Each structure stands twice: as structure tokens, then as C-alpha cells.
Amino acid sequence: MNERTTLEIIAPTVEEALAQGLADLGLPREAVDVEVLDEGSRGLFGLGGRQVRVRLTIKGAETSEPAAGQPTPAPAAGQPAPAPEPIPTASAGTDELLSISEKTVGELLEKMKIEAQLTTRYGEPDEEGQRPVYVNIHGDDLSILIGRRAEILNALQYIVNLIVSKQLAHWVQIVVDVEGYRTRREVQLRKMARQMADQAVKTGRRQVLEPMSAGDRRILHLELRDHPEVTTRSIGEDPLRKVTILPKE
Amino acid sequence: MKPLTEYIARSLVEHPDEVDVREYRHGSRVTLELQVAKDDMGRVIGKNGRVANAMRTLLRVAAEREGLQVALDVVEP
């Protein structure tokens, strides 16, 4: 279980990095510990300066698993200094994948006539060591971008993955989020998974959850994968496929 | 909505020059006809229409902002 309890942000200033990180996580300032990994440098005449790198750690996150407490590998270690941009963007866009991902989401939103700011970063590496790209969309009144059961957000994410993968000629994983919606949803789902598992154990009966997307179901299965007293299974067909939690014999 | 359709289609096909989008409007209903090269049809439709449906979802957001309804058809060249 790799609960995401730390987040690294690259931004022009510590304040901006912190603000972005909190927006991504959807948490207040008090909920995180802040560690400045790289204070950056101003560069000559404000050019060629290095951006700051900040690590946020969620306080009191349920990090009973030792794995979650391990420090995350610093992804930006050997990164070249970002090129100075004419318009200050909040993006960490220093490498090709991040900038193409950001550009693609930006183009789509512009053509949908939606005004928003974007931040991009790499996530924690998955089982195969691939780091997903996170593109977070910030702005006012963006609930129209989420939709029922995140239908719109998922459509946007799917199209972005197709376009960027096609452009780079290899498959990449890009997570598109709005104001940290997915992060908050994941926290909720994990909590719900544990509550329903308790219920299954207490009553000895199978618990059936509401229909969910593949991504949401995956979070539930992973959360309960190592649970000693229950197993999980998905039943039904999309879009009505749902997770069931069964007490072990 | 036409630029959105063109952008997505051109980004996904092998022959972007052959992408053509026509927009027809009847009152508040907009119909978009997307035409691509024959061997690109699958790329804009997707398995079980998944790509076309994702495009429809995004088009709906754009349309609703203008108080319109939108339909997308992928047509044979």
C-alpha cells in the first residue's frame, strides 16, 4: 500500500510551491510538514535561476506501514535549470513529458473555453518504476470539469493520455485532476473501504458498494489487499460494476 | 466546438491533413460531422466507441456553456 503521504513541488518560490502543494492535496497549511529540499537560486539578472523544490508531508497520515514512511526518491536531482519563461507559470515544466502534458491539457481547455491554471509534477513511481504525470487544473468554478462520477474528468484524462502517448510514440500515464479532487476522493475511498471491511467482519455478511469507475475500484481493492479478515471482488458490468467486500471463511 | 473536434482528431490520426469537420446548426442543436482517412476511423472511434464518446463528453461541456446541444458523428470519407 503506497499511501501518498509526501508530495514534491517545484515552483519559483517556496510560498508558491506550498500553495500549489496544498491545493493539490486539498489540505490546509496546518495539515502538512514542509521541508525545503532546494532553495533555488536567483540566477544572473533573474535569468537561468533554479526553482525551489519543496517536500510536503501529510501530518498524522495513517502511515502504520513502514513503506509509506520511507523518503521518496528525489526526482529532480539531476534536472537542468528551467529555462526562464516570459510569463510566470506555476508549472514545473522542465522536461519534455511534463511540458507536453501541460500543453495538451491547456489546448483542450482553451478550446472548451475554460479558463484555468495548470501545475504539473511527477507522482510516485508505480510497481514498474514508471512515474505518472500529474496535471492539476486550478481555477474558479471548475466543478463543470468533474461531472457525475468524474465522467468529464475521466474523458479529459483519457483524451490527454491518447494525445500525449501518440506524440511521444510510447505509452505514458497522465493523471488529470481538478483542484485536488482525485486526491481527496482517494482519501475518502480508502476510509470507506476500511469502514465497509469492518462492517463485513462485524456482521459476517458481504458488503456491496455503489457502482464505481475502474480507477475507484482499484483504490478499494488495493486498500484491502492485505486485510486479514476480508477479500474483495468486483461484480457486474461497466458502468454498473461494483466492489463487494466478503468476510474470509 | 469545431476547433476542439479538429484539435483532438488531428492529434490522434496518422493523416491529420485529411481531417475535416463540418458544423451544422439547427436552433440550439449543433451537429458535427467528423471525417478522417479510412484507416484512421478506428483511431477516432476507439474500441466500443470509447474515443468518440470521450470527445462527445468534452464537446457537451463546451456546448452547455453556450446553451447548446451537440451531436458528433464520425462519417466515412
Side-chain angles (χ1 to χ4, degrees):
Chain A
M1 315 212 185
N2 41 9
E3 218 165 69
R4 263 207 310 283
T5 52
T6 67
L7 173 64
E8 286 188 19
I9 306 278
I10 301 169
T13 66
V14 174
E15 291 71 34
E16 281 172 74
L18 179 58
Q20 268 174 49
L22 294 175
D24 273 13
L25 294 167
L27 290 170
R29 171 66 188 85
E30 312 82 70
V32 296
D33 287 318
V34 182
E35 186 186 350
V36 178
L37 300 172
D38 184 344
E39 296 194 282
S41 68
R42 197 128 279 226
L44 198 57
F45 310 122
L47 295 173
R50 218 167 56 242
Q51 303 204 49
V52 301
R53 201 152 56 84
V54 170
R55 178 186 292 158
L56 306 184
T57 307
I58 302 172
K59 283 182 195 166
E62 282 137 284
T63 51
S64 45
E65 310 91 355
Q70 277 169 12
T72 48
Q79 266 181 13
E85 286 164 291
I87 307 155
T89 67
S91 160
T94 53
D95 88 3
E96 199 193 11
L97 178 51
L98 290 186
S99 62
I100 289 177
S101 305
E102 179 171 330
K103 193 162 160 276
T104 304
V105 176
E107 289 269 357
L108 287 166
L109 292 178
E110 188 204 307
K111 291 182 169 60
M112 290 165 75
K113 301 199 173 73
I114 288 170
E115 272 188 55
Q117 294 81 49
L118 303 173
T119 55
T120 54
R121 64 179 171 85
Y122 281 110
E124 307 273 320
D126 64 15
E127 297 85 355
E128 283 113 52
Q130 297 288 327
R131 282 185 296 152
V133 171
Y134 281 79
V135 180
N136 198 358
I137 305 169
H138 309 268
D140 295 327
D141 202 20
L142 292 180
S143 55
I144 45 157
L145 271 182
I146 299 174
R148 214 167 102 86
R149 291 191 195 131
E151 178 202 21
I152 295 164
L153 193 52
N154 289 338
L156 181 62
Q157 176 170 299
Y158 181 60
I159 295 284
V160 169
N161 274 278
L162 287 178
I163 294 177
V164 177
S165 296
K166 162 102 181 147
Q167 207 166 337
L168 295 174
H170 63 87
W171 186 249
V172 290
Q173 200 207 338
I174 303 162
V175 179
V176 180
D177 201 354
V178 171
E179 298 281 9
Y181 167 83
R182 286 193 197 278
T183 316
R184 288 197 303 278
R185 171 94 178 141
E186 184 174 338
V187 171
Q188 272 174 11
L189 284 172
R190 286 170 181 274
K191 190 174 160 203
M192 181 166 75
R194 292 189 300 266
Q195 283 169 352
M196 296 302 272
D198 287 349
Q199 195 72 13
V201 172
K202 211 189 295 174
T203 61
R205 287 182 189 208
R206 177 178 86 145
Q207 304 293 310
V208 182
L209 281 67
E210 62 183 274
M212 286 175 200
S213 69
D216 283 359
R217 294 196 308 269
R218 182 170 184 272
I219 292 168
L220 295 175
H221 289 304
L222 285 177
E223 178 66 19
L224 297 176
R225 190 174 50 182
D226 300 325
H227 195 289
E229 292 170 285
V230 298
T231 55
T232 59
R233 192 178 304 157
S234 287
I235 56 165
E237 294 297 322
D238 273 324
L240 293 175
R241 202 162 160 77
K242 47 200 169 186
V243 173
T244 60
I245 302 174
L246 307 100
K248 280 184 185 166
E249 290 303 316
Chain B
M1 278 163 277
K2 193 179 161 186
L4 179 62
T5 313
E6 284 170 340
Y7 171 69
I8 297 174
R10 292 208 171 108
S11 304
L12 297 179
V13 299
E14 292 295 321
H15 310 287
D17 296 346
E18 292 178 48
V19 169
D20 185 37
V21 180
R22 289 182 195 175
E23 188 173 304
Y24 302 97
R25 195 161 163 175
H26 299 282
S28 65
R29 303 175 88 94
V30 177
T31 304
L32 295 163
E33 277 187 5
L34 168 61
Q35 187 181 308
V36 298
K38 211 171 176 72
D39 59 326
D40 278 328
M41 295 281 283
R43 293 189 177 87
V44 294
I45 295 172
K47 213 193 229 176
N48 298 323
R50 194 169 166 205
V51 178
N53 283 336
M55 286 171 72
R56 290 185 180 109
T57 302
L58 299 187
L59 284 166
R60 208 165 61 227
V61 175
E64 276 168 11
R65 290 174 78 78
E66 299 174 43
L68 301 171
Q69 286 166 295
V70 66
L72 172 70
D73 294 326
V74 182
V75 296
E76 296 258 4

